[in-house]
């Protein structure tokens, strides 16, 4: 698991060799936003900050809550040790890859071993769940092998810092619940009950999709316990209800923070309304298969249905059915694909493994040799597939990681410059215009200056969606783009252009049930709006977002005529593959 956690980094180290500049190899495109927020915390900035715009929470100008400030526990868990050891975000994220993979492997193994009391099965099941969790839903390497699509994402549970840091905590939560359900001593039960509550709190303040999945499982567990009534079920039900009450108390501060969330947060996160059932996802099919196996095992007397392990397995198998259909009651949907990829697929596969164990345990006396051969074979297959998954999915992002590493020197130079000139005369962080999208998205992970516009800027609080669109207009204007080029990019489905102006739900249906493609009228109107912006751009507009630095890739021929109309550039400082210009607004 450590090897898998570090494989993209190992690949980058091998590719760059002695030219390596210190960048972390990202596993997921969204990691740049998390890295920027992490570096802001390492630098001592407040919890509510925007690492792209440079805006911080201040008593005289309080900032609303963002997706990042609400889920603060995981980044602080990384930032505090990083501060102590003097590490930056890049170094910290490399360590997180190795430690999170190790911790997750140990947590899943410990849970499986405790449930089954079979070390060989626990080892095999751990490898299957973690190495094949993406395979079972048809994502990652298998999508390229079978369909020729891009092999993406890379082992989703290792996306840093979430869900990588809290992911093992989810399995420890399951372990704690099992232990207080099966322990006879009251003192031991209470210790594990408190530990379960602590794990749930860590999930709540770390990652939305993990704590809501844990909450859904608790509901399933309580219902299953009451329906089937295993031994001491009343005492167990009381403990579960106490845990539920503690969970509600834990959620009170969380609810208060959400009440103070940024007004644009719901739109950015694609919160939609629907009561339509969703029953055809692969993880649900796996869960139904697990439930069918348990029913067949019970019918053949291989398992006792009222046995606690059987009921525990049933509750886990029911989780996907609940998570993907909760909207029937709540009427709310929030990017269900994140459940499918980041947690529910692993829970479903884990439940499937337990169902196989229940069946295998009931027939082990008849087929002992086959079982002993099968488990190492399955474990070997999981290891091999894990390597295949790593190789295919790393190939998709390796070139981008090389480009990001080549941009590290200019970001380091910006950090040096920030020591003497971080704020302008108005007390705002100086603003940088990066014309390279990868470098601009990566810049906050090292340099503390503000960024005029970057791909992930809109996910932070402090500015409306309209203001973020305007920032993108500035970026296009200074890049020399015109309305006709913008329209062409929109018609061609250029990812950056579409999501920056209209959001993810206008590009793909994976994230929202209300997704719809752009119309020709919208494309034409956007081109006209931008041309109107260009034609009316004046000194007042340029002054509103005053630049201090401009970073231009040396290999790209950008038309900087619009920039030069309003700014004076110095001769530029060549740093690696980039030119860093100091610019001054013309009076």
């Amino acid at each position: 698991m450590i090897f898998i956690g570090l494989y993209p980094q190992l690949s980058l180290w091998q590719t760059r060799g002695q030219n390596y500049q210190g960048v972390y190899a990202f596993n997921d495109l969204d990691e740049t936003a998390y890295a920027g927020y992490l570096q802001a915390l390492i630098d001592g900035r407040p919890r509510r900050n925007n690492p792209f715009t440079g805006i911080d929470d201040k008593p005289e100008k309080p900032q609303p809550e963002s997706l990042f400030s609400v889920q603060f526990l995981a980044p602080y868990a990384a930032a505090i040790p990083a501060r102590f050891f003097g590490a930056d975000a890049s170094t910290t994220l490399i360590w997180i890859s190795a430690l999170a993979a190790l911790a997750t492997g140990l947590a899943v193994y410990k849970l499986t071993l405790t449930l089954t009391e079979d070390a060989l099965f626990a080892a095999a099941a751990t490898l299957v769940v973690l190495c094949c969790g993406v395979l079972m839903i048809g994502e990652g390497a298998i999508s390229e092998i079978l369909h020729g699509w891009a092999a993406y994402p890379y082992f989703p549970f290792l996306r840093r810092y979430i869900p990588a840091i809290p992911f093992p905590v989810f399995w420890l939560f399951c372990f704690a619940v099992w232990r207080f359900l099966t322990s006879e001593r009251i003192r031991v039960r209470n210790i594990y009950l408190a530990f379960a509550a602590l794990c749930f709190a860590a999930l709540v303040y770390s990652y939305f999709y993990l704590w809501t999945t844990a909450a859904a499982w608790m509901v399933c567990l309580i219902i299953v316990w009451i329906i089937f009534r295993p031994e001491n079920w009343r005492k167990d039900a009381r403990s579960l209800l106490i845990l539920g009450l503690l969970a509600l108390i834990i959620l009170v501060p969380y609810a208060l923070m959400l009440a103070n969330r940024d007004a644009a947060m719901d739109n950015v996160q694609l919160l939609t309304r629907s009561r339509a059932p969703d029953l055809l996802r692969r993880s649900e099919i796996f869960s139904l298969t697990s439930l069918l196996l348990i029913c067949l095992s019970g019918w053949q007397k291989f398992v006792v249905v009222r046995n606690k392990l059987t009921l525990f397995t049933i509750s886990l198998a029911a989780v996907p059915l609940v998570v993907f259909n909760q909207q029937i009651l709540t009427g709310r949907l929030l990017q269900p694909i994140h459940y499918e990829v980041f947690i529910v697929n692993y829970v479903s596969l884990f439940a499937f493994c337990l169902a196989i164990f229940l069946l295998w345990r009931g027939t082990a006396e008849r087929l002992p040799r086959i079982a002993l051969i099968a488990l190492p074979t399955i474990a070997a297959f999981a290891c091999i597939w894990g390597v295949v998954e790593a190789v295919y999915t790393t190939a998709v992002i390796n070139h981008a990681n090389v480009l990001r590493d080549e941009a590290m020197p200019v970001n380091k130079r910006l950090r040096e410059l920030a020591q003497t000139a971080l704020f302008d005369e108005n007390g705002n962080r100086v603003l940088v215009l990066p014309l390279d999208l990868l470098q601009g998205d990566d810049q906050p992970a090292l340099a503390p200056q503000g960024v005029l516009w970057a791909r992930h800027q809109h996910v932070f609080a402090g500015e409306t969606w309209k203001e973020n669109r305007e920032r993108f207009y500035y970026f296009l204007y200074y890049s020399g783009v015109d309305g006709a080029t913008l329209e062409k990019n929109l018609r061609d489905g250029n990812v950056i252009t579409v999501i920056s102006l209209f959001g993810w739900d206008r590009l793909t249906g994976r994230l929202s049930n209300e997704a719809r493609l752009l119309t020709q009228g919208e494309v034409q109107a956007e081109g006209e709006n931008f041309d109107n912006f260009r034609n009316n751009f004046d000194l007042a507009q340029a002054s509103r977002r005053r630049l201090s630095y401009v970073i231009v890739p040396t290999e790209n021929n950008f038309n900087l005529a619009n920039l030069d109309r309003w700014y004076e550039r110095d001769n530029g400082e060549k740093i690696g593959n980039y030119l860093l210009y100091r610019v001054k607004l013309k009076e």
Side-chain angles (χ1 to χ4, degrees), residues 56-73:
D56 289 341
D57 183 56
K58 298 177 182 178
E60 66 275 13
K61 192 177 180 181
Q63 296 298 305
E65 298 287 353
S66 70
L67 175 72
F68 294 82
S69 63
V70 171
Q71 301 177 149
F72 64 87
L73 195 59

Side-chain angles (χ1 to χ4, degrees), residues 198-230:
L198 187 64
C199 289
F200 185 77
L203 295 175
V204 167
Y205 296 100
S206 290
Y207 193 41
F208 173 82
Y209 295 97
L210 290 187
W211 82 254
T212 49
T213 301
W217 174 59
M218 279 201 300
V219 171
C220 294
L221 190 63
I222 291 172
I223 293 173
V224 168
W225 235 249
I226 293 176
I227 290 176
F228 290 97
R229 302 183 180 184

Side-chain angles (χ1 to χ4, degrees), residues 64 81 158-159 161 168 243 245 253 284 324 341 365 370 550 583:
L158 288 174
R159 188 185 70 176
Y161 46 81
L243 179 59
L245 179 61
E284 291 177 286
F324 290 122
V341 173
E365 295 180 359
I370 294 178
V550 176
V583 295

Side-chain angles (χ1 to χ4, degrees), residues 191-298:
I191 289 174
Y192 281 110
L193 181 61
F195 182 54
L198 187 64
C199 289
F200 185 77
L203 295 175
V204 167
Y205 296 100
S206 290
Y207 193 41
F208 173 82
Y209 295 97
L210 290 187
W211 82 254
T212 49
T213 301
W217 174 59
M218 279 201 300
V219 171
C220 294
L221 190 63
I222 291 172
I223 293 173
V224 168
W225 235 249
I226 293 176
I227 290 176
F228 290 97
R229 302 183 180 184
E231 184 182 359
N232 297 325
W233 73 275
R234 293 182 184 275
K235 182 171 63 173
D236 295 339
R238 268 198 308 273
S239 297
L240 289 171
L241 290 173
I242 291 172
L243 179 59
L245 179 61
L246 291 173
L248 290 176
I249 295 172
I250 289 167
L251 286 169
V252 170
Y254 183 80
L256 294 175
M257 284 195 293
L258 283 183
N260 187 38
R261 69 186 181 276
D262 188 287
M265 185 171 163
D266 291 352
N267 291 332
V268 171
Q269 297 305 315
L270 304 179
L271 178 65
T272 59
R273 298 176 183 273
S274 174
R275 293 191 184 275
D278 185 354
L279 297 168
L280 298 178
R281 295 182 183 271
R282 289 183 177 89
S283 51
E284 291 177 286
I285 295 172
F286 259 80
S287 289
L288 290 171
T289 304
S290 301
L291 294 172
L292 180 61
L293 281 174
I294 293 172
C295 290
L296 292 175
S297 299

